[in-house]
Amino acid sequence: MNAPILNSHALDTLFLQARTHNDWLGKPVEDALLRQVWDLARMGPTSANCSPMRIVFIKSPEAKARLLPALLEGNRAKTQAAPVTVVFGNDSQFYDLLPKLFPHTDARAWFAGPGKEAVAATTAFRNGTLQAAYFMLAARALGLDCGPMSGFDNEAVDREFFPGGRIKSNFICNLGYGDSTRLFPRSPRLEFEEACRIA
Amino acid sequence: MNAPILNSHALDTLFLQARTHNDWLGKPVEDALLRQVWDLARMGPTSANCSPMRIVFIKSPEAKARLLPALLEGNRAKTQAAPVTVVFGNDSQFYDLLPKLFPHTDARAWFAGPGKEAVAATTAFRNGTLQAAYFMLAARALGLDCGPMSGFDNEAVDREFFPGGRIKSNFICNLGYGDSTRLFPRSPRLEFEEACRIA
């Protein structure tokens, strides 16, 4: 009755056939494509449009060399080989941009100031993580493959790439064109009844 | 050079023309469609395939009546009117399912036990939030509109819908077919240079 609005190719590309990749073809990822992914991902919803995600795209050999020591050993070779490694971070003072992002009311006051540190930190983490998911699906929508990882030393990454303490790294994602001949078998997922109920 | 893999209609549906909705058409949302959304969303990547998101779909008037008092007043009328309200929660003991979800190694030991509470809590929140984003984009892909909200009393919602303390509510999202004639103007987004850099 409810026919999919997106065709099966799109659903495969985003969800059903998409896989986390650990091996990369040599094809590079142009900066212009990273901008196209951003222009899609930024449109996804966040609370009060707070948009706390900040990104460093690591492409140069020099920047890669600064990143690799912070990773778990098992994550280093695939990250070295990826055309781009995305470091997703969250701006802990995202609220300073709310007069621009949510101009019709004083939303900054909801998050800034004494006693609001916990709600601000939770809001940054929740909404920056939503945006990182939007980013990965936007990347897939534009033909890229993703290899997300959280096995790294966040404080070491922050020292190298987010100095000053305002931005906190969330997780990392290799980006490129994956080698589909080198995928592992897919791990199982939960059935509806295992994770959901209708009340 | 890099032509979009998804066509412009799909990109519009997911990102560029999609909007957060506050007013709903009368068209119902069948349970079968909720299952289709789940079958897409569950395929998105999570750390060690940990899949911590748990969902209560609130459809019945009785369940709605239990939810509404926990919401900020400004969120009540639109939630009352929505065909479905999704409560996204995270299983704080997600690691007990890892022998099934990540069978090739003992990933449970990474998160379970004394001294690992903080990494388990962060992993549940990060990955459950990624899954909630996958869910919202999967819903849009199948023609639904979303109205996410975090303005509610999490502890009150947990008492009503996740008793026992194991599952913690994350955020809430109305789901249905939005009334596009009643949208606000779109709020601005950050430019690439405001949020991203290439290293």
Side-chain angles (χ1 to χ4, degrees), chain B residues 3 7 38 45 47 52 62 84 92 98 103 105 121 123 130 138 141 159 165 182:
Chain B
N7 63 32
W38 173 255
S47 181
E62 296 74 18
V84 186
S92 61
L98 285 174
T105 192
T123 300
L130 291 174
R159 279 194 302 273
R182 302 195 29 103

Side-chain angles (χ1 to χ4, degrees), chain B residues 42 44 72 91 122:
Chain B
R42 68 178 184 158
L72 288 185
D91 182 357
T122 298

